[in-house]
mmCIF file of all heavy atoms in Angstrom:
data_model
loop_
_atom_site.group_PDB
_atom_site.id
_atom_site.type_symbol
_atom_site.label_atom_id
_atom_site.label_comp_id
_atom_site.label_asym_id
_atom_site.label_seq_id
_atom_site.Cartn_x
_atom_site.Cartn_y
_atom_site.Cartn_z
ATOM 1 N N GLU A 610 107.630 -54.954 -94.236
ATOM 2 C CA GLU A 610 107.060 -56.271 -94.518
ATOM 3 C C GLU A 610 105.760 -56.474 -93.748
ATOM 4 O O GLU A 610 104.773 -56.982 -94.294
ATOM 5 C CB GLU A 610 108.083 -57.343 -94.129
ATOM 6 C CG GLU A 610 107.695 -58.752 -94.489
ATOM 7 C CD GLU A 610 108.776 -59.751 -94.096
ATOM 8 O OE1 GLU A 610 109.969 -59.409 -94.206
ATOM 9 O OE2 GLU A 610 108.413 -60.863 -93.684
ATOM 10 N N GLU A 611 105.759 -56.075 -92.476
ATOM 11 C CA GLU A 611 104.545 -56.242 -91.671
ATOM 12 C C GLU A 611 103.434 -55.319 -92.167
ATOM 13 O O GLU A 611 102.257 -55.699 -92.166
ATOM 14 C CB GLU A 611 104.852 -55.951 -90.198
ATOM 15 C CG GLU A 611 105.868 -56.887 -89.556
ATOM 16 C CD GLU A 611 105.449 -58.349 -89.614
ATOM 17 O OE1 GLU A 611 104.237 -58.622 -89.692
ATOM 18 O OE2 GLU A 611 106.340 -59.218 -89.597
ATOM 19 N N ALA A 612 103.820 -54.096 -92.587
ATOM 20 C CA ALA A 612 102.809 -53.166 -93.107
ATOM 21 C C ALA A 612 102.193 -53.706 -94.393
ATOM 22 O O ALA A 612 100.989 -53.554 -94.637
ATOM 23 C CB ALA A 612 103.439 -51.795 -93.351
ATOM 24 N N ARG A 613 103.011 -54.356 -95.236
ATOM 25 C CA ARG A 613 102.508 -54.927 -96.485
ATOM 26 C C ARG A 613 101.518 -56.067 -96.233
ATOM 27 O O ARG A 613 100.725 -56.418 -97.111
ATOM 28 C CB ARG A 613 103.672 -55.446 -97.326
ATOM 29 C CG ARG A 613 104.455 -54.349 -98.024
ATOM 30 C CD ARG A 613 105.642 -54.925 -98.760
ATOM 31 N NE ARG A 613 106.314 -53.921 -99.567
ATOM 32 C CZ ARG A 613 107.445 -54.139 -100.235
ATOM 33 N NH1 ARG A 613 108.019 -55.350 -100.184
ATOM 34 N NH2 ARG A 613 107.996 -53.181 -100.942
ATOM 35 N N GLU A 614 101.608 -56.668 -95.049
ATOM 36 C CA GLU A 614 100.668 -57.741 -94.722
ATOM 37 C C GLU A 614 99.364 -57.191 -94.162
ATOM 38 O O GLU A 614 98.500 -57.956 -93.730
ATOM 39 C CB GLU A 614 101.298 -58.694 -93.687
ATOM 40 C CG GLU A 614 102.579 -59.362 -94.147
ATOM 41 C CD GLU A 614 102.398 -60.192 -95.407
ATOM 42 O OE1 GLU A 614 101.252 -60.580 -95.693
ATOM 43 O OE2 GLU A 614 103.395 -60.427 -96.107
ATOM 44 N N GLY A 615 99.214 -55.867 -94.167
ATOM 45 C CA GLY A 615 97.946 -55.264 -93.786
ATOM 46 C C GLY A 615 97.887 -54.727 -92.380
ATOM 47 O O GLY A 615 96.837 -54.268 -91.933
ATOM 48 N N ARG A 616 98.984 -54.746 -91.654
ATOM 49 C CA ARG A 616 98.966 -54.246 -90.284
ATOM 50 C C ARG A 616 99.020 -52.721 -90.267
ATOM 51 O O ARG A 616 99.629 -52.094 -91.132
ATOM 52 C CB ARG A 616 100.135 -54.818 -89.490
ATOM 53 C CG ARG A 616 99.980 -56.285 -89.162
ATOM 54 C CD ARG A 616 101.138 -56.792 -88.302
ATOM 55 N NE ARG A 616 100.848 -58.119 -87.797
ATOM 56 C CZ ARG A 616 100.991 -59.242 -88.473
ATOM 57 N NH1 ARG A 616 101.442 -59.193 -89.715
ATOM 58 N NH2 ARG A 616 100.675 -60.402 -87.940
ATOM 59 N N SER A 617 98.421 -52.152 -89.251
ATOM 60 C CA SER A 617 98.495 -50.701 -89.062
ATOM 61 C C SER A 617 99.918 -50.332 -88.667
ATOM 62 O O SER A 617 100.693 -51.194 -88.232
ATOM 63 C CB SER A 617 97.529 -50.275 -87.952
ATOM 64 O OG SER A 617 97.989 -50.768 -86.691
ATOM 65 N N PRO A 618 100.303 -49.039 -88.812
ATOM 66 C CA PRO A 618 101.674 -48.642 -88.438
ATOM 67 C C PRO A 618 102.044 -49.031 -87.004
ATOM 68 O O PRO A 618 103.165 -49.467 -86.751
ATOM 69 C CB PRO A 618 101.657 -47.126 -88.622
ATOM 70 C CG PRO A 618 100.643 -46.894 -89.705
ATOM 71 C CD PRO A 618 99.581 -47.926 -89.454
ATOM 72 N N HIS A 619 101.108 -48.885 -86.058
ATOM 73 C CA HIS A 619 101.403 -49.238 -84.661
ATOM 74 C C HIS A 619 101.586 -50.745 -84.515
ATOM 75 O O HIS A 619 102.533 -51.209 -83.850
ATOM 76 C CB HIS A 619 100.274 -48.745 -83.746
ATOM 77 C CG HIS A 619 100.300 -47.269 -83.517
ATOM 78 N ND1 HIS A 619 100.120 -46.690 -82.281
ATOM 79 C CD2 HIS A 619 100.506 -46.238 -84.369
ATOM 80 C CE1 HIS A 619 100.197 -45.377 -82.388
ATOM 81 N NE2 HIS A 619 100.419 -45.078 -83.655
ATOM 82 N N ASP A 620 100.683 -51.531 -85.092
ATOM 83 C CA ASP A 620 100.801 -52.987 -84.992
ATOM 84 C C ASP A 620 102.039 -53.500 -85.720
ATOM 85 O O ASP A 620 102.692 -54.455 -85.275
ATOM 86 C CB ASP A 620 99.553 -53.661 -85.565
ATOM 87 C CG ASP A 620 98.357 -53.553 -84.637
ATOM 88 O OD1 ASP A 620 98.575 -53.241 -83.460
ATOM 89 O OD2 ASP A 620 97.223 -53.775 -85.097
ATOM 90 N N ALA A 621 102.354 -52.860 -86.856
ATOM 91 C CA ALA A 621 103.545 -53.259 -87.606
ATOM 92 C C ALA A 621 104.796 -53.046 -86.754
ATOM 93 O O ALA A 621 105.709 -53.883 -86.743
ATOM 94 C CB ALA A 621 103.649 -52.465 -88.912
ATOM 95 N N ALA A 622 104.835 -51.929 -86.017
ATOM 96 C CA ALA A 622 105.989 -51.657 -85.148
ATOM 97 C C ALA A 622 106.099 -52.703 -84.053
ATOM 98 O O ALA A 622 107.191 -53.222 -83.761
ATOM 99 C CB ALA A 622 105.873 -50.260 -84.542
ATOM 100 N N GLY A 623 104.982 -53.038 -83.430
ATOM 101 C CA GLY A 623 105.021 -54.030 -82.359
ATOM 102 C C GLY A 623 105.452 -55.398 -82.847
ATOM 103 O O GLY A 623 106.273 -56.079 -82.217
ATOM 104 N N THR A 624 104.912 -55.819 -84.009
ATOM 105 C CA THR A 624 105.262 -57.129 -84.554
ATOM 106 C C THR A 624 106.710 -57.162 -85.033
ATOM 107 O O THR A 624 107.413 -58.167 -84.865
ATOM 108 C CB THR A 624 104.321 -57.483 -85.729
ATOM 109 O OG1 THR A 624 102.966 -57.354 -85.291
ATOM 110 C CG2 THR A 624 104.565 -58.907 -86.197
ATOM 111 N N ALA A 625 107.164 -56.066 -85.632
ATOM 112 C CA ALA A 625 108.551 -56.008 -86.110
ATOM 113 C C ALA A 625 109.536 -56.118 -84.957
ATOM 114 O O ALA A 625 110.548 -56.829 -85.051
ATOM 115 C CB ALA A 625 108.787 -54.712 -86.880
ATOM 116 N N VAL A 626 109.257 -55.447 -83.855
ATOM 117 C CA VAL A 626 110.145 -55.542 -82.686
ATOM 118 C C VAL A 626 110.112 -56.950 -82.117
ATOM 119 O O VAL A 626 111.146 -57.499 -81.711
ATOM 120 C CB VAL A 626 109.744 -54.505 -81.612
ATOM 121 C CG1 VAL A 626 110.515 -54.742 -80.310
ATOM 122 C CG2 VAL A 626 109.987 -53.089 -82.121
ATOM 123 N N ARG A 627 108.937 -57.546 -82.092
ATOM 124 C CA ARG A 627 108.815 -58.903 -81.571
ATOM 125 C C ARG A 627 109.671 -59.893 -82.369
ATOM 126 O O ARG A 627 110.361 -60.733 -81.802
ATOM 127 C CB ARG A 627 107.345 -59.324 -81.616
ATOM 128 C CG ARG A 627 107.104 -60.791 -81.333
ATOM 129 C CD ARG A 627 105.686 -61.165 -81.746
ATOM 130 N NE ARG A 627 105.521 -62.604 -81.794
ATOM 131 C CZ ARG A 627 104.483 -63.201 -82.373
ATOM 132 N NH1 ARG A 627 103.552 -62.475 -82.972
ATOM 133 N NH2 ARG A 627 104.391 -64.519 -82.376
ATOM 134 N N HIS A 628 109.637 -59.783 -83.707
ATOM 135 C CA HIS A 628 110.357 -60.741 -84.544
ATOM 136 C C HIS A 628 111.823 -60.360 -84.754
ATOM 137 O O HIS A 628 112.693 -61.227 -84.734
ATOM 138 C CB HIS A 628 109.672 -60.860 -85.910
ATOM 139 C CG HIS A 628 108.444 -61.702 -85.884
ATOM 140 N ND1 HIS A 628 108.476 -63.042 -85.589
ATOM 141 C CD2 HIS A 628 107.134 -61.395 -86.109
ATOM 142 C CE1 HIS A 628 107.246 -63.542 -85.640
ATOM 143 N NE2 HIS A 628 106.413 -62.550 -85.951
ATOM 144 N N SER A 629 112.094 -59.076 -84.981
ATOM 145 C CA SER A 629 113.471 -58.663 -85.290
ATOM 146 C C SER A 629 114.277 -58.324 -84.047
ATOM 147 O O SER A 629 115.505 -58.272 -84.101
ATOM 148 C CB SER A 629 113.454 -57.444 -86.225
ATOM 149 O OG SER A 629 112.926 -57.782 -87.473
ATOM 150 N N GLY A 630 113.588 -58.088 -82.930
ATOM 151 C CA GLY A 630 114.294 -57.751 -81.698
ATOM 152 C C GLY A 630 115.341 -58.775 -81.290
ATOM 153 O O GLY A 630 116.489 -58.414 -81.009
ATOM 154 N N PRO A 631 114.994 -60.075 -81.251
ATOM 155 C CA PRO A 631 116.006 -61.073 -80.878
ATOM 156 C C PRO A 631 117.199 -61.094 -81.836
ATOM 157 O O PRO A 631 118.341 -61.251 -81.408
ATOM 158 C CB PRO A 631 115.224 -62.397 -80.944
ATOM 159 C CG PRO A 631 113.798 -62.013 -80.752
ATOM 160 C CD PRO A 631 113.658 -60.675 -81.404
ATOM 161 N N THR A 632 116.925 -60.913 -83.130
ATOM 162 C CA THR A 632 118.020 -60.912 -84.103
ATOM 163 C C THR A 632 118.947 -59.727 -83.879
ATOM 164 O O THR A 632 120.169 -59.869 -83.792
ATOM 165 C CB THR A 632 117.456 -60.844 -85.539
ATOM 166 O OG1 THR A 632 116.465 -61.851 -85.696
ATOM 167 C CG2 THR A 632 118.562 -61.038 -86.556
ATOM 168 N N ILE A 633 118.358 -58.527 -83.799
ATOM 169 C CA ILE A 633 119.159 -57.315 -83.632
ATOM 170 C C ILE A 633 119.862 -57.321 -82.287
ATOM 171 O O ILE A 633 121.038 -56.956 -82.178
ATOM 172 C CB ILE A 633 118.263 -56.069 -83.780
ATOM 173 C CG1 ILE A 633 117.759 -55.975 -85.220
ATOM 174 C CG2 ILE A 633 119.010 -54.802 -83.380
ATOM 175 C CD1 ILE A 633 116.739 -54.877 -85.441
ATOM 176 N N GLY A 634 119.154 -57.748 -81.235
ATOM 177 C CA GLY A 634 119.767 -57.785 -79.911
ATOM 178 C C GLY A 634 120.947 -58.735 -79.848
ATOM 179 O O GLY A 634 122.015 -58.392 -79.336
ATOM 180 N N SER A 635 120.760 -59.942 -80.383
ATOM 181 C CA SER A 635 121.845 -60.929 -80.370
ATOM 182 C C SER A 635 123.025 -60.460 -81.214
ATOM 183 O O SER A 635 124.184 -60.549 -80.807
ATOM 184 C CB SER A 635 121.334 -62.274 -80.904
ATOM 185 O OG SER A 635 120.267 -62.755 -80.118
ATOM 186 N N ALA A 636 122.720 -59.938 -82.415
ATOM 187 C CA ALA A 636 123.787 -59.454 -83.290
ATOM 188 C C ALA A 636 124.530 -58.292 -82.643
ATOM 189 O O ALA A 636 125.761 -58.203 -82.720
ATOM 190 C CB ALA A 636 123.201 -59.030 -84.639
ATOM 191 N N GLY A 637 123.780 -57.398 -82.001
ATOM 192 C CA GLY A 637 124.409 -56.252 -81.351
ATOM 193 C C GLY A 637 125.327 -56.656 -80.216
ATOM 194 O O GLY A 637 126.438 -56.134 -80.079
ATOM 195 N N VAL A 638 124.868 -57.593 -79.395
ATOM 196 C CA VAL A 638 125.689 -58.053 -78.269
ATOM 197 C C VAL A 638 126.968 -58.716 -78.772
ATOM 198 O O VAL A 638 128.066 -58.468 -78.252
ATOM 199 C CB VAL A 638 124.893 -59.022 -77.376
ATOM 200 C CG1 VAL A 638 125.808 -59.727 -76.384
ATOM 201 C CG2 VAL A 638 123.808 -58.265 -76.624
ATOM 202 N N ILE A 639 126.852 -59.549 -79.802
ATOM 203 C CA ILE A 639 128.026 -60.253 -80.315
ATOM 204 C C ILE A 639 128.996 -59.287 -80.987
ATOM 205 O O ILE A 639 130.209 -59.340 -80.761
ATOM 206 C CB ILE A 639 127.601 -61.374 -81.284
ATOM 207 C CG1 ILE A 639 126.928 -62.498 -80.487
ATOM 208 C CG2 ILE A 639 128.790 -61.915 -82.063
ATOM 209 C CD1 ILE A 639 126.383 -63.610 -81.330
ATOM 210 N N LEU A 640 128.463 -58.367 -81.812
ATOM 211 C CA LEU A 640 129.342 -57.409 -82.485
ATOM 212 C C LEU A 640 130.004 -56.480 -81.471
ATOM 213 O O LEU A 640 131.200 -56.180 -81.573
ATOM 214 C CB LEU A 640 128.551 -56.603 -83.514
ATOM 215 C CG LEU A 640 129.363 -55.678 -84.415
ATOM 216 C CD1 LEU A 640 130.426 -56.454 -85.181
ATOM 217 C CD2 LEU A 640 128.455 -54.937 -85.394
ATOM 218 N N ALA A 641 129.243 -56.041 -80.480
ATOM 219 C CA ALA A 641 129.825 -55.197 -79.433
ATOM 220 C C ALA A 641 130.899 -55.966 -78.663
ATOM 221 O O ALA A 641 131.944 -55.415 -78.310
ATOM 222 C CB ALA A 641 128.730 -54.715 -78.482
ATOM 223 N N GLY A 642 130.633 -57.250 -78.417
ATOM 224 C CA GLY A 642 131.617 -58.067 -77.713
ATOM 225 C C GLY A 642 132.904 -58.222 -78.493
ATOM 226 O O GLY A 642 134.003 -58.178 -77.922
ATOM 227 N N THR A 643 132.795 -58.362 -79.817
ATOM 228 C CA THR A 643 134.010 -58.509 -80.620
ATOM 229 C C THR A 643 134.818 -57.216 -80.621
ATOM 230 O O THR A 643 136.042 -57.243 -80.531
ATOM 231 C CB THR A 643 133.668 -58.911 -82.071
ATOM 232 O OG1 THR A 643 132.829 -57.924 -82.658
ATOM 233 C CG2 THR A 643 132.974 -60.252 -82.107
ATOM 234 N N PHE A 644 134.138 -56.074 -80.726
ATOM 235 C CA PHE A 644 134.862 -54.802 -80.663
ATOM 236 C C PHE A 644 135.465 -54.581 -79.273
ATOM 237 O O PHE A 644 136.541 -53.992 -79.138
ATOM 238 C CB PHE A 644 133.942 -53.635 -81.016
ATOM 239 C CG PHE A 644 133.748 -53.447 -82.496
ATOM 240 C CD1 PHE A 644 132.472 -53.440 -83.048
ATOM 241 C CD2 PHE A 644 134.828 -53.272 -83.343
ATOM 242 C CE1 PHE A 644 132.284 -53.271 -84.409
ATOM 243 C CE2 PHE A 644 134.652 -53.105 -84.705
ATOM 244 C CZ PHE A 644 133.379 -53.100 -85.239
ATOM 245 N N ALA A 645 134.765 -55.043 -78.240
ATOM 246 C CA ALA A 645 135.266 -54.854 -76.873
ATOM 247 C C ALA A 645 136.577 -55.598 -76.638
ATOM 248 O O ALA A 645 137.344 -55.232 -75.737
ATOM 249 C CB ALA A 645 134.215 -55.315 -75.865
ATOM 250 N N THR A 646 136.860 -56.631 -77.437
ATOM 251 C CA THR A 646 138.122 -57.357 -77.250
ATOM 252 C C THR A 646 139.336 -56.456 -77.513
ATOM 253 O O THR A 646 140.434 -56.758 -77.053
ATOM 254 C CB THR A 646 138.204 -58.572 -78.192
ATOM 255 O OG1 THR A 646 138.107 -58.142 -79.556
ATOM 256 C CG2 THR A 646 137.104 -59.566 -77.897
ATOM 257 N N LEU A 647 139.135 -55.351 -78.248
ATOM 258 C CA LEU A 647 140.247 -54.421 -78.468
ATOM 259 C C LEU A 647 140.740 -53.834 -77.150
ATOM 260 O O LEU A 647 141.894 -53.417 -77.040
ATOM 261 C CB LEU A 647 139.816 -53.286 -79.409
ATOM 262 C CG LEU A 647 139.555 -53.673 -80.871
ATOM 263 C CD1 LEU A 647 138.926 -52.516 -81.621
ATOM 264 C CD2 LEU A 647 140.840 -54.112 -81.554
ATOM 265 N N MET A 648 139.879 -53.812 -76.139
ATOM 266 C CA MET A 648 140.280 -53.264 -74.845
ATOM 267 C C MET A 648 141.196 -54.215 -74.085
ATOM 268 O O MET A 648 141.783 -53.842 -73.074
ATOM 269 C CB MET A 648 139.042 -52.935 -74.003
ATOM 270 C CG MET A 648 138.237 -51.768 -74.562
ATOM 271 S SD MET A 648 136.923 -51.202 -73.461
ATOM 272 C CE MET A 648 135.710 -52.490 -73.702
ATOM 273 N N LEU A 649 141.323 -55.456 -74.562
ATOM 274 C CA LEU A 649 142.220 -56.413 -73.912
ATOM 275 C C LEU A 649 143.683 -56.146 -74.257
ATOM 276 O O LEU A 649 144.582 -56.726 -73.648
ATOM 277 C CB LEU A 649 141.866 -57.844 -74.352
ATOM 278 C CG LEU A 649 140.468 -58.358 -74.019
ATOM 279 C CD1 LEU A 649 140.257 -59.724 -74.673
ATOM 280 C CD2 LEU A 649 140.278 -58.451 -72.519
ATOM 281 N N ALA A 650 143.929 -55.260 -75.229
ATOM 282 C CA ALA A 650 145.279 -55.081 -75.758
ATOM 283 C C ALA A 650 146.208 -54.356 -74.795
ATOM 284 O O ALA A 650 147.427 -54.365 -74.989
ATOM 285 C CB ALA A 650 145.228 -54.330 -77.088
ATOM 286 N N GLY A 651 145.671 -53.722 -73.753
ATOM 287 C CA GLY A 651 146.533 -52.970 -72.850
ATOM 288 C C GLY A 651 147.114 -51.739 -73.519
ATOM 289 O O GLY A 651 148.173 -51.251 -73.150
ATOM 290 N N ASN A 652 146.419 -51.230 -74.525
ATOM 291 C CA ASN A 652 146.879 -50.115 -75.337
ATOM 292 C C ASN A 652 145.762 -49.086 -75.331
ATOM 293 O O ASN A 652 144.639 -49.381 -75.728
ATOM 294 C CB ASN A 652 147.162 -50.639 -76.754
ATOM 295 C CG ASN A 652 147.527 -49.571 -77.741
ATOM 296 O OD1 ASN A 652 146.882 -48.541 -77.814
ATOM 297 N ND2 ASN A 652 148.541 -49.838 -78.525
ATOM 298 N N SER A 653 146.031 -47.860 -74.860
ATOM 299 C CA SER A 653 144.959 -46.889 -74.679
ATOM 300 C C SER A 653 144.286 -46.525 -75.994
ATOM 301 O O SER A 653 143.083 -46.267 -76.043
ATOM 302 C CB SER A 653 145.491 -45.624 -73.996
ATOM 303 O OG SER A 653 146.407 -44.947 -74.822
ATOM 304 N N THR A 654 145.053 -46.515 -77.088
ATOM 305 C CA THR A 654 144.466 -46.206 -78.394
ATOM 306 C C THR A 654 143.440 -47.258 -78.778
ATOM 307 O O THR A 654 142.304 -46.939 -79.161
ATOM 308 C CB THR A 654 145.561 -46.126 -79.471
ATOM 309 O OG1 THR A 654 146.464 -45.069 -79.145
ATOM 310 C CG2 THR A 654 144.959 -45.867 -80.837
#
Side-chain angles (χ1 to χ4, degrees):
E610 186 179 324
E611 298 302 335
R613 284 176 173 175
E614 300 301 339
R616 288 183 169 81
S617 68
H619 285 224
D620 285 344
T624 307
V626 171
R627 170 194 166 194
H628 282 296
S629 294
T632 309
I633 293 173
S635 301
V638 168
I639 290 176
L640 187 58
T643 59
F644 279 124
T646 59
L647 291 171
M648 292 189 284
L649 299 174
N652 175 314
S653 66
T654 298

